[in-house]
Amino acid sequence: MKKSSACWTSSKSTTGAVTSSDRVSRSVPRSARQATNVHFFLNGLAFATWGVHVPTFKRLHSLSEVEVALAMLAAGVGALVAVLGAGALIGRFGARAVCAVSGLMTAAAIGAVLQLPSYWAGVMGLFVFGVANSLFDVAMNAHAVEVEAAYGRPIMSSCHGFFSLGGLAGAALASLLAVAGVAATTHTLWVAVGAAALTIAVVPSMLPDRARTTEEAGHSFMRPHGVIILLGAMAALGLVAEGAMYDWSVLYLRESLASPQALAALAYASFSVAMAIGRFAGDRARARWGAETLLSVGGTLAAIAMLAVLLIGHPAAALAGFALVGLGISNVVPVLFSCASRVPGISPAHGISGVAGLGYLGFLLGPPMIGAVAQVATLPVALCLVALFAAALAVLARRVLPIMGALGTSTDDRATRPVRAARQEPGRHG
């Protein structure tokens, strides 16, 4: 039986004839996909650059865990505020324009956050970083959806793989510069200048913004509903684990395991390497096993690995365990974002921003929750929440994805048939 997908429709007919989608696929400049990959890479680089300097920010202002958590909360609030309006902005101005502006804003925020003179100024800087990075995230995913549609085959997981490569590059660069004695403020300025230059360089290679429909441009906010809520809940669970690795893994090695800064910086690097491997293999894995198996097994792996890290309590085990956590949750966001872009009745940008908005609640609530528990107990105890949420993701994948129509590639025709029918209705996508 031929495999089919609830979130992907093949561009070839059953007779093997070349369709108009195939011709469009061949006409898409390869540079458009490369530009998309660069944006994902730069987003990952920005995240890692801040993530490895959480201890630097803490020492710079002599902060407690709660104060660090509040600073992270500011970034999360900024991200949530921005993502609620991201669909409307992209609908009005197009993904390319929003990518360009928000990419430059993200670079500027990274360069400024350690330069600001006080804790509260830093908090405001992180709020701006959250706003800029959230807009950048939704815009580059919306552009990736357009490139994916033009290619006629799934590419979303590999795009997110470049985000993980950016995280790896940012963490590795921080480790090397720490050994070389380069100041953290110098490091962040170098990253900001380089990211801004690359953003400007690749924007002309992106797909031109197509004409917007009234449906896409006419809504300032679209309240998540139905399938979007289910996708968003799963994204939130995955982003709790990802946010914890981003915000707390370096601090765990640095303070709980007394590791030197150069070694601690590798915590996020090991996580990012595994995320990249999982994502570059993700498109084929979905085709072979389906989204239900991919996400449920991944959530179980992440939960077990996180518990092992905390029980063993050794730097080497932590690095290996963080890598397995990364492998386990690597495809949560790309799979769910890709499916959100194809929900009947809403535009891709609004679908992605709806799921991203709920997903960012994981980023918003997860790290501060971990910080609050760490203040009352210890950071290792607090990180048990990561295992709990990863296990919940595994359970939810088994319960929800069959109901939603096997969101990845599946041989279950009964699951895919309703979604196909909905996709064929005229005028529903915008």
Side-chain angles (χ1 to χ4, degrees):
M1 180 183 295
K2 183 181 178 180
K3 292 186 177 182
S4 58
S5 172
C7 0
W8 183 257
T9 302
S10 175
S11 62
K12 294 185 178 181
S13 68
T14 55
T15 63
V18 176
T19 68
S20 60
S21 295
D22 295 321
R23 290 191 290 272
V24 171
S25 174
R26 288 197 292 266
S27 70
V28 174
R30 184 173 293 274
S31 59
R33 183 175 181 181
Q34 292 171 343
T36 307
N37 291 339
V38 168
H39 286 309
F40 275 86
F41 179 88
L42 293 177
N43 201 350
L45 181 70
F47 263 96
T49 300
W50 159 243
V52 299
H53 285 303
V54 170
T56 305
F57 184 77
K58 182 181 180 183
R59 290 195 304 272
L60 184 64
H61 300 293
S62 301
L63 305 177
S64 67
E65 275 77 7
V66 169
E67 288 171 320
V68 174
L70 287 174
M72 296 173 183
L73 180 63
V77 169
L80 184 59
V81 168
V83 80
L84 294 178
L89 285 174
I90 295 168
R92 182 171 183 180
F93 299 107
R96 180 165 69 171
V98 176
C99 257
V101 174
S102 58
L104 291 175
M105 288 175 59
T106 299
I110 282 295
V113 69
L114 294 183
Q115 309 283 346
L116 297 172
S118 68
Y119 168 66
W120 288 109
V123 169
M124 290 304 299
L126 288 171
F127 176 83
V128 172
F129 172 68
V131 169
N133 195 262
S134 178
L135 290 175
F136 193 28
D137 189 16
V138 176
M140 70 185 189
N141 274 283
H143 184 259
V145 165
E146 294 181 7
V147 175
E148 184 178 63
Y151 262 74
R153 57 185 172 84
I155 64 167
M156 185 66 83
S157 285
S158 63
C159 288
H160 282 259
F162 279 92
F163 174 88
S164 298
L165 286 183
L168 167 63
L173 179 62
S175 182
L176 290 173
L177 294 181
V179 171
V182 175
T185 51
T186 302
H187 169 211
T188 54
L189 282 176
W190 287 354
V191 169
V193 171
L198 279 173
T199 298
I200 293 170
V202 302
V203 165
S205 298
M206 298 175 68
L207 293 178
D209 290 319
R210 60 182 174 81
R212 304 288 136 181
T213 66
T214 301
E215 181 185 65
E216 288 176 315
H219 295 284
S220 59
F221 169 66
M222 183 174 289
R223 181 171 59 87
H225 62 279
V227 172
I228 295 296
I229 291 178
L230 296 174
L231 292 169
M234 295 178 67
L237 291 171
L239 285 171
V240 167
E242 189 170 343
M245 295 300 98
Y246 165 57
D247 285 331
W248 294 105
S249 63
V250 176
L251 204 60
Y252 173 73
L253 261 76
R254 187 79 175 97
E255 298 193 353
S256 297
L257 301 184
S259 303
Q261 175 64 20
L263 178 61
L266 294 178
Y268 190 76
S270 67
F271 174 76
S272 295
V273 167
M275 287 277 283
I277 292 171
R279 285 173 168 175
F280 283 121
D283 293 325
R284 290 186 178 183
R286 286 174 62 195
R288 182 169 184 177
W289 295 301
E292 179 186 337
T293 299
L294 186 61
L295 298 190
S296 63
V297 171
T300 301
L301 175 63
I304 293 172
M306 193 71 238
L307 288 176
V309 166
L310 300 174
L311 289 173
I312 296 173
H314 188 277
L319 293 178
F322 290 155
L324 291 177
V325 172
L327 187 63
I329 65 170
S330 58
N331 286 289
V332 173
V333 171
V335 167
L336 298 180
F337 276 17
S338 183
C339 292
S341 73
R342 297 175 175 86
V343 173
I346 62 175
S347 70
H350 277 102
I352 292 171
S353 62
V355 171
L358 293 171
Y360 273 124
L361 288 176
F363 253 57
L364 179 65
L365 300 177
M369 184 189 308
I370 290 172
V373 175
Q375 184 76 10
V376 174
T378 64
L379 182 56
V381 170
L383 288 174
C384 289
L385 292 174
V386 174
L388 177 63
F389 288 127
L393 171 65
V395 172
L396 198 58
R398 287 293 185 190
R399 297 291 181 87
V400 172
L401 295 194
I403 298 173
M404 290 161 45
L407 295 179
T409 302
S410 172
T411 57
D412 186 356
D413 290 337
R414 291 171 301 173
T416 60
R417 204 171 284 129
V419 179
R420 284 180 181 171
R423 284 178 55 82
Q424 292 170 356
E425 295 177 13
R428 296 293 301 277
H429 287 275

